[in-house]
């Protein structure tokens, strides 16, 4: 098994038999031509290997799928149009109306929205575990209809690190899969499957693509969960499309991905363009270099921020002050990622001053770019959340989120100093403290 950096440039590639192109070609085609009536019938029936229509499979996208599956140590993968699409496909290939899913409390705001607005409307009940480090709480809140557990390996933006092995043990005891969103860690820093996660999800728009140019998402089946012995009747029971056979009969250990591809992704239709699959695959070729450097710079920036008097707390799992520091030492020894939050004592007024003063950081909602980005979650991505939920998930009025890019750390610190100088100039420091900001920060 080649090591990570070797795999990121070679895994999954398909040699181009027609012209010998060294880089996986972009097969930008809606469909694939059949040689004859029988050939078409065979392709649709699965007896003839090959593609039919790019909504259900494409050679450029397939190369990306093989590469991400290899890097995660998984069995197979399906790539779709965004991280949100990946989460949707991962869950809808498992659960249906009447089912229950347990999630860690601290998850990306879009994921929370998908759970609370999207999936609940379909009759899928999603509950949040208040303290994801408390395995007894996960056990206590399981119901007979709980069909999956979910969490983010590093939560966006709070940096809580998931105890994957502990939660995977709870899932295993109850015969259900654990799904982990590994977007912020990437397989370079952490492979959730090595600790028992059964399904790994990525927003490939972030570090995998890495350059802020395209959206994408990937769902990886680690191959650890026994679909044949599962409570998922849509995979184990007879299926009309399979002439009465089940997905397990027809696809064996690949049953979940086959269902996710041919029923959920193909019919709901959140397709990834082959052009975007190419860009993401090219991004992956430098993943380890980027993530190591970005993670090292994030640690330097986090340490610097923590020493500033205007900053009341820094959410970065690489700092001993963060509650997840011990988990980070276990799960993220190479680095703790490049997204961090910090809370200004001056609350919303200070955050606004700071935000408007920076010159190098891009004011944007996005993470994982080669450029460093800054966001004020309470007034943007999390503005729609009720105040108590914002507080519980650590989104205070003075919180700013940084996604550290590839610039020199000294230049980033100089820009952050500019932000702090603007706060000091306006005299919105700890004396004008916004109580919510401090309470939320203290609760982290
Ligand atoms: C952890 C996490 N998961 C999923 C998503 C959604 O990804 P996308 O924006 O590609 O739909 C994001 C986006 O920020 C994220 O941070």
């Amino acid at each position: 098994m080649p090591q990570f950096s070797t795999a990121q440039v070679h895994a999954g590639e398909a040699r181009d038999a027609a012209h010998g192109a060294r880089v996986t070609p972009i097969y930008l085609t809606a469909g694939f031509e059949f040689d004859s009536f029988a050939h078409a019938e065979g392709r649709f029936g699965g007896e003839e290997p090959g593609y039919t229509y790019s909504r259900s499979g494409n050679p450029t996208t397939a190369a990306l799928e093989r590469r991400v599956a290899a890097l995660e140590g998984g069995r197979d993968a399906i790539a779709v149009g965004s991280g949100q699409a990946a989460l949707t496909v991962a869950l809808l290939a498992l659960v249906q109306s009447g089912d229950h899913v347990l999630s860690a409390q601290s998850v990306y705001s879009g994921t929370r929205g998908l759970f609370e607005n999207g999936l609940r409307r379909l009759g899928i009940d999603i509950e949040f575990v208040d303290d994801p480090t408390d395995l007894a709480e996960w056990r206590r809140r399981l119901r007979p209809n709980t069909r999956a557990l979910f969490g983010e390996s590093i939560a966006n933006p709070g940096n809580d690190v998931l105890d994957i092995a502990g939660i995977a043990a709870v899932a295993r005891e109850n015969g259900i899969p654990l799904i982990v969103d590994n977007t912020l860690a990437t397989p370079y820093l952490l492979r959730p499957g090595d600790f028992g996660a059964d399904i790994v999800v990525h927003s490939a728009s972030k570090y995998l693509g890495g350059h802020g140019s395209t959206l994408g998402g990937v769902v990886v089946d680690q191959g650890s969960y026994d679909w044949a012995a599962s409570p998922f009747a849509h995979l184990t029971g007879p299926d009309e499309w399979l002439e009465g056979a089940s997905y397990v009969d027809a696809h064996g250990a690949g049953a979940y991905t086959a269902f996710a591809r041919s029923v959920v992704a193909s019919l709901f239709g959140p397709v990834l363009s082959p052009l975007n699959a190419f860009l993401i695959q090219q991004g992956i070729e430098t993943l380890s270099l980027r993530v190591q450097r970005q993670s090292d710079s994030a640690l330097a920036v986090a340490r610097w921020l923590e020493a500033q008097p205007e900053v009341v707390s820094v959410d970065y799992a690489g700092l001993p002050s963060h509650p997840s520091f011990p988990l980070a030492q276990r799960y993220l020894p190479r680095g703790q990622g490049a997204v961090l939050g910090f809370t200004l004592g001056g609350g919303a007024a200070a955050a606004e001053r700071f935000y408007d003063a920076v010159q190098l950081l891009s004011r944007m909602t996005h993470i994982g770019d080669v450029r460093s980005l800054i966001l004020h979650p309470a007034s943007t991505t999390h503005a729609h959340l009720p105040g108590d939920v914002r507080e519980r998930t650590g989104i205070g009025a003075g919180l700013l989120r940084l996604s550290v890019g590839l610039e020199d750390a000294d230049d980033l610190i100089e820009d952050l100093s500019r932000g702090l100088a603007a706060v000091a100039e306006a005299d919105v420091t700890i004396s004008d403290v916004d109580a919510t900001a401090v309470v939320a920060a203290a609760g982290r």
Side-chain angles (χ1 to χ4, degrees):
M1 173 70 192
Q3 293 183 38
F4 194 91
S5 296
T6 308
Q8 76 186 356
V9 291
H10 291 292
E13 64 190 354
R15 287 297 164 97
D16 169 30
H19 305 290
R22 186 62 190 85
V23 176
T24 302
I26 305 168
Y27 291 98
L28 207 49
T29 180
F32 300 83
E33 197 176 4
F34 309 120
D35 297 338
S36 65
F37 186 96
H39 191 221
E41 191 178 26
R43 281 267 173 96
F44 271 80
E47 301 88 35
E48 275 281 348
Y51 300 93
T52 56
Y53 188 57
S54 280
R55 178 150 46 75
S56 50
N58 173 286
T60 313
T61 310
L64 169 67
E65 291 168 345
R66 289 192 296 270
R67 183 161 292 179
V68 178
L71 293 180
E72 285 290 0
R75 185 189 183 283
D76 49 26
I78 171 166
V80 288
S82 68
Q84 288 298 110
L87 284 158
T88 305
V89 168
L91 279 159
L92 291 185
L94 287 178
V95 295
Q96 59 187 17
S97 176
D99 288 345
H100 176 248
V101 175
L102 262 183
S103 166
Q105 180 69 250
S106 179
V107 292
Y108 164 61
S109 59
T111 302
R112 182 176 277 276
L114 169 69
F115 289 176
E116 292 190 326
N117 298 328
L119 296 181
R120 268 192 198 150
R121 286 184 51 242
L122 300 181
I124 299 156
D125 190 8
I126 308 219
E127 274 194 312
F128 297 91
V129 169
D130 291 319
D131 178 5
T133 62
D134 180 3
L135 298 181
E137 186 184 349
W138 286 90
R139 288 194 178 91
R140 198 167 56 244
R141 296 184 61 173
L142 284 164
R143 297 193 203 149
N145 59 340
T146 306
R147 288 289 173 268
L149 305 184
F150 175 81
E152 293 176 0
S153 47
I154 305 177
N156 177 10
N159 256 259
D160 308 286
V161 176
L162 201 67
D163 177 7
I164 300 171
I167 300 164
V170 177
R172 199 128 299 155
E173 282 157 28
N174 291 278
I176 54 175
L178 169 63
I179 308 172
V180 173
D181 181 332
N182 199 32
T183 299
L184 269 66
T186 81
Y188 172 67
L189 295 178
L190 166 66
R191 297 205 316 183
D194 292 347
F195 297 94
D198 302 297
I199 295 165
V200 172
V201 177
H202 278 280
S203 164
S205 327
K206 315 303 181 193
Y207 295 97
L208 298 186
H211 296 75
S213 58
T214 186
L215 302 193
V218 186
V219 183
V220 182
D221 179 354
Q222 293 296 141
S224 50
Y225 184 80
D226 184 358
W227 300 109
S230 76
F232 300 107
H234 61 285
L235 301 179
T236 58
D239 189 277
E240 253 179 47
W241 281 15
L242 301 176
E243 292 171 358
S246 71
Y247 273 83
V248 168
D249 295 334
H251 300 280
Y256 171 77
T257 310
F259 186 86
R261 188 185 298 284
S262 62
V263 178
V264 188
S266 188
L267 301 185
F268 283 82
V271 185
L272 180 68
S273 161
L275 176 59
N276 292 354
F278 172 84
L279 291 171
I280 294 165
Q281 186 185 248
Q282 198 166 57
I284 289 174
E285 294 179 352
T286 54
L287 182 67
S288 63
L289 304 173
R290 286 185 285 105
V291 171
Q292 187 67 65
R293 166 74 182 267
Q294 286 172 259
S295 188
D296 292 346
S297 295
L299 180 59
V301 164
R303 284 183 176 147
W304 181 84
L305 280 168
E306 197 168 47
Q308 307 309 309
E310 299 87 347
V311 175
V312 293
S313 72
V314 180
D315 298 331
Y316 186 65
L319 295 178
S321 56
H322 194 283
S324 279
F325 183 73
L327 284 171
Q329 298 301 295
R330 173 175 180 201
Y331 287 103
L332 296 157
R334 275 178 159 166
Q336 295 78 43
V339 175
L340 60 99
F342 63 98
T343 295
L344 293 168
E352 184 173 350
R353 280 270 160 179
F354 190 105
Y355 197 72
D356 287 344
V358 294
Q359 293 173 11
L360 179 58
L361 297 166
S362 305
R363 286 174 277 274
M364 261 178 78
T365 178
H366 183 45
I367 56 170
D369 200 319
V370 291
R371 286 153 282 264
S372 292
L373 317 173
I374 186 164
L375 179 80
H376 181 242
S379 62
T380 56
T381 48
H382 293 68
H384 61 284
L385 289 180
D388 63 318
V389 176
R390 274 213 299 269
E391 248 173 65
R392 224 179 311 131
T393 49
I395 311 294
L399 175 78
L400 288 164
R401 185 187 72 186
L402 286 183
S403 170
V404 174
L406 285 178
E407 302 91 341
D408 287 292
D410 288 348
D411 290 333
L412 292 173
I413 287 173
E414 189 183 312
D415 203 34
L416 294 166
S417 305
R418 216 171 267 132
L420 288 182
V423 172
E425 206 177 290
D427 202 20
V428 276
T429 53
I430 198 87
S431 55
D432 301 314
V433 86
D434 176 326
T436 7
V438 172
V439 169
R444 296 216 53 76

